[in-house]
Amino acid sequence: MGAQEGPTLITSVQRALRLLEAVGAHENGAPAKQLARETRLPLATAYHLLRTLLHDGYVRKLDDGGFVLGDRLTSLHAAGRPQSLLSRVRPTLAALRDELSTAAYLTFYEDGEIRVAEIVDGPRTPRVDLWVGFEDAGHATALGKTVLRELGRDARREYLSRHRLADLTPWTVTSLPELLRRLDAPPLAPAVTDLEEYALGTVCVAVPVYRGDTLGSLGISLPADHKDRLRELRARLLPVASRVTRSLSLTT
């Protein structure tokens, strides 16, 4: 029984995909009989699959009986676009990791939150233990503080009004006036650092990037005893960030 179910399911998926391709080839829609002919499917099978695709929103039936692609596919395409954009910059992040022997991170400010979009690490370049989510640690990470710095004062204060300055390590800044002062005048501007403020034993440096109009940050982490490299690493990060911004902002 189990041996027969696998191929049957695979065949059904293949047939459904062939139908979607056929539907997509007709801008003004095509009836089930025509789609069955073009995909070489039995008419009953085509009807069954089209009813399923219609129910789930992958196709839409017009008043004249023709089928066109549905809104569900449009939303899938939109949801997949960020993944497609990230695929453009993963090789750049991997090259950065290999050159600097550090884990590389990419974040974006979306829907009022700072979220990690990509981490590129390896056996010799482990990522920092994300023991507290970035949504609750924007004030303590170089990646988060870079975003906060670029937001501008009003947007920054609005964000900080919704997020408690949690005391994560003995070095975390939990005073709002002090945090704002440091954001306005970071020593390595436009880069921002995290000197064991998020995790003991780890320091980070990050710089701003953009995906179109969406603000983000590119950063790296390294052991705290290597913090004398931060100025050198900042100089390397800036041109890489410009390249990442250009790649992410290209229209598809």
Side-chain angles (χ1 to χ4, degrees), residues 29-193:
K33 289 183 179 180
Q34 181 179 350
L35 295 170
R37 287 196 305 270
E38 292 178 357
T39 55
R40 298 182 181 179
L41 293 175
L43 183 57
T45 300
Y47 271 126
H48 173 71
L49 290 173
L50 285 169
R51 280 197 299 269
T52 302
L53 293 169
L54 178 65
H55 177 270
D56 290 339
Y58 290 104
V59 299
R60 183 164 54 89
K61 192 172 185 179
L62 302 177
D63 292 339
D64 62 5
F67 290 89
V68 295
L69 295 177
D71 294 337
R72 187 74 176 271
L73 279 179
T74 303
S75 63
L76 280 177
H77 175 74
R81 187 170 182 271
Q83 294 181 9
S84 175
L85 289 174
L86 284 176
S87 69
R88 297 177 179 176
V89 299
R90 286 191 185 101
T92 301
L93 299 182
L96 183 69
R97 173 201 61 195
D98 296 341
E99 177 189 347
L100 303 181
S101 298
T102 64
Y105 308 78
L106 185 66
T107 73
F108 290 108
Y109 182 69
E110 298 174 307
D111 301 322
E113 299 295 344
I114 301 166
R115 298 193 173 103
V116 178
E118 190 68 33
I119 301 177
V120 178
D121 57 359
R124 297 183 180 180
T125 55
R127 66 184 67 186
V128 65
D129 179 17
L130 303 181
W131 70 286
V132 175
F134 269 55
E135 293 89 345
D136 300 313
H139 65 294
T141 65
L143 292 156
K145 289 189 289 182
T146 296
V147 170
L148 292 176
R149 180 175 185 272
E150 295 297 311
L151 278 178
R153 293 192 177 188
D154 291 342
R156 182 192 309 162
R157 285 184 179 275
E158 192 279 328
Y159 174 90
L160 292 171
S161 71
R162 296 185 283 108
H163 296 80
R164 185 174 65 89
L165 303 186
D167 188 2
L168 304 180
T169 78
W171 309 112
T172 307
V173 176
T174 57
S175 163
L176 180 57
E178 177 62 14
L179 177 63
L180 294 174
R181 185 189 70 78
R182 295 191 186 191
L183 290 175
D184 285 335
L188 299 183
V192 178
T193 60

Side-chain angles (χ1 to χ4, degrees), residues 219-233:
I220 54 177
S221 64
L222 60 159
D225 56 3
H226 291 178
K227 66 180 179 181
D228 57 341
R229 296 181 59 200
L230 289 177
R231 188 171 293 277
E232 162 209 340
L233 297 176

Side-chain angles (χ1 to χ4, degrees), residues 212-223:
D213 294 330
T214 301
L215 169 63
S217 57
L218 169 67
I220 54 177
S221 64
L222 60 159

